[in-house]
Amino acid sequence: MSQPVLLKVYGNLYPADAADLEALVRASATCVQEGGDAVVTLAGDLVRISFEGLFFPVDDVLEALAARLTPGQKGKLDVLDLEAWRLTRHEFADGRITSRSAPLNNVLDFSGH
């Protein structure tokens, strides 16, 4: 029987290397999803995070990012909480992480959907 998807998490970090990949793979290891797809991947110097499932350790991933983030890296982590109907965006720039959150209805209105 299929589990409901409660969270969708998508993100990227650029430029990134194998050490960044390893840190994010370790930080996201407790995620709960169906299937064995890799959650964190590296393509060239771009790390991608793509997750749909029941649980994703957002705080652990942000902590791992904060420990490694350099001023030259940029990216984001979008967390769509379908149960709470909320989007939280964590942006990475200038060696810092900033976060903001809004109801998904507001996001859909803003984007014209």
PDB file of all heavy atoms in Angstrom, residues 1 3 27 30 41 51 61 73 78 109:
ATOM      1  N   MET A   1       0.839  -1.182   0.000  1.00  0.00           N
ATOM      2  CA  MET A   1       0.000   0.000   0.000  1.00  0.00           C
ATOM      3  C   MET A   1       0.883   1.244   0.000  1.00  0.00           C
ATOM      4  O   MET A   1       1.873   1.340   0.700  1.00  0.00           O
ATOM      5  CB  MET A   1      -0.913  -0.013   1.225  1.00  0.00           C
ATOM      6  CG  MET A   1      -1.878   1.142   1.232  1.00  0.00           C
ATOM      7  SD  MET A   1      -3.294   0.843   2.271  1.00  0.00           S
ATOM      8  CE  MET A   1      -2.745   1.535   3.787  1.00  0.00           C
ATOM      9  N   GLN A   3       2.150   5.023   0.686  1.00  0.00           N
ATOM     10  CA  GLN A   3       2.093   6.011   1.760  1.00  0.00           C
ATOM     11  C   GLN A   3       1.733   7.373   1.164  1.00  0.00           C
ATOM     12  O   GLN A   3       2.136   7.691   0.057  1.00  0.00           O
ATOM     13  CB  GLN A   3       3.461   6.120   2.448  1.00  0.00           C
ATOM     14  CG  GLN A   3       3.911   4.855   3.109  1.00  0.00           C
ATOM     15  CD  GLN A   3       3.261   4.676   4.457  1.00  0.00           C
ATOM     16  OE1 GLN A   3       2.707   5.590   5.035  1.00  0.00           O
ATOM     17  NE2 GLN A   3       3.319   3.468   4.973  1.00  0.00           N
ATOM     18  N   ALA A  27      23.336  13.972   6.336  1.00  0.00           N
ATOM     19  CA  ALA A  27      22.325  14.753   7.054  1.00  0.00           C
ATOM     20  C   ALA A  27      20.907  14.335   6.683  1.00  0.00           C
ATOM     21  O   ALA A  27      19.998  14.444   7.505  1.00  0.00           O
ATOM     22  CB  ALA A  27      22.514  16.240   6.777  1.00  0.00           C
ATOM     23  N   THR A  30      18.035  10.024   7.400  1.00  0.00           N
ATOM     24  CA  THR A  30      16.871   9.531   8.148  1.00  0.00           C
ATOM     25  C   THR A  30      15.548   9.851   7.461  1.00  0.00           C
ATOM     26  O   THR A  30      14.483   9.628   8.042  1.00  0.00           O
ATOM     27  CB  THR A  30      16.849  10.116   9.579  1.00  0.00           C
ATOM     28  OG1 THR A  30      16.774  11.534   9.499  1.00  0.00           O
ATOM     29  CG2 THR A  30      18.068   9.677  10.370  1.00  0.00           C
ATOM     30  N   THR A  41      21.971  14.392  -4.980  1.00  0.00           N
ATOM     31  CA  THR A  41      22.834  13.987  -6.093  1.00  0.00           C
ATOM     32  C   THR A  41      23.757  15.143  -6.467  1.00  0.00           C
ATOM     33  O   THR A  41      23.460  16.311  -6.197  1.00  0.00           O
ATOM     34  CB  THR A  41      22.008  13.580  -7.323  1.00  0.00           C
ATOM     35  OG1 THR A  41      21.163  14.661  -7.709  1.00  0.00           O
ATOM     36  CG2 THR A  41      21.160  12.339  -7.026  1.00  0.00           C
ATOM     37  N   PHE A  51      13.083  15.314  -2.933  1.00  0.00           N
ATOM     38  CA  PHE A  51      12.463  14.387  -1.985  1.00  0.00           C
ATOM     39  C   PHE A  51      10.953  14.562  -2.006  1.00  0.00           C
ATOM     40  O   PHE A  51      10.445  15.686  -2.035  1.00  0.00           O
ATOM     41  CB  PHE A  51      12.985  14.666  -0.568  1.00  0.00           C
ATOM     42  CG  PHE A  51      12.215  13.958   0.501  1.00  0.00           C
ATOM     43  CD1 PHE A  51      12.516  12.658   0.853  1.00  0.00           C
ATOM     44  CD2 PHE A  51      11.166  14.588   1.137  1.00  0.00           C
ATOM     45  CE1 PHE A  51      11.786  11.995   1.829  1.00  0.00           C
ATOM     46  CE2 PHE A  51      10.425  13.935   2.111  1.00  0.00           C
ATOM     47  CZ  PHE A  51      10.742  12.641   2.457  1.00  0.00           C
ATOM     48  N   VAL A  61      19.749  18.942   7.720  1.00  0.00           N
ATOM     49  CA  VAL A  61      20.308  19.373   6.437  1.00  0.00           C
ATOM     50  C   VAL A  61      20.753  20.830   6.511  1.00  0.00           C
ATOM     51  O   VAL A  61      21.842  21.180   6.063  1.00  0.00           O
ATOM     52  CB  VAL A  61      19.297  19.131   5.296  1.00  0.00           C
ATOM     53  CG1 VAL A  61      19.731  19.833   4.020  1.00  0.00           C
ATOM     54  CG2 VAL A  61      19.123  17.632   5.063  1.00  0.00           C
ATOM     55  N   GLN A  73      29.051  30.265  -2.454  1.00  0.00           N
ATOM     56  CA  GLN A  73      28.002  29.295  -2.790  1.00  0.00           C
ATOM     57  C   GLN A  73      26.627  29.950  -2.731  1.00  0.00           C
ATOM     58  O   GLN A  73      26.384  30.833  -1.920  1.00  0.00           O
ATOM     59  CB  GLN A  73      28.042  28.102  -1.835  1.00  0.00           C
ATOM     60  CG  GLN A  73      29.259  27.224  -2.041  1.00  0.00           C
ATOM     61  CD  GLN A  73      29.290  26.072  -1.058  1.00  0.00           C
ATOM     62  OE1 GLN A  73      29.236  26.283   0.150  1.00  0.00           O
ATOM     63  NE2 GLN A  73      29.394  24.866  -1.576  1.00  0.00           N
ATOM     64  N   ASP A  78      13.526  24.411  -0.815  1.00  0.00           N
ATOM     65  CA  ASP A  78      12.089  24.642  -0.681  1.00  0.00           C
ATOM     66  C   ASP A  78      11.452  23.443  -0.004  1.00  0.00           C
ATOM     67  O   ASP A  78      11.644  22.308  -0.441  1.00  0.00           O
ATOM     68  CB  ASP A  78      11.428  24.835  -2.051  1.00  0.00           C
ATOM     69  CG  ASP A  78      11.751  26.174  -2.671  1.00  0.00           C
ATOM     70  OD1 ASP A  78      12.141  27.096  -1.929  1.00  0.00           O
ATOM     71  OD2 ASP A  78      11.599  26.306  -3.899  1.00  0.00           O
ATOM     72  N   ASP A 109      -1.281  32.099  -5.580  1.00  0.00           N
ATOM     73  CA  ASP A 109      -1.833  33.372  -6.034  1.00  0.00           C
ATOM     74  C   ASP A 109      -0.753  34.249  -6.651  1.00  0.00           C
ATOM     75  O   ASP A 109      -0.945  34.846  -7.710  1.00  0.00           O
ATOM     76  CB  ASP A 109      -2.491  34.137  -4.879  1.00  0.00           C
ATOM     77  CG  ASP A 109      -3.793  33.499  -4.421  1.00  0.00           C
ATOM     78  OD1 ASP A 109      -4.355  32.692  -5.182  1.00  0.00           O
ATOM     79  OD2 ASP A 109      -4.227  33.830  -3.306  1.00  0.00           O
TER      80      ASP A 109
END
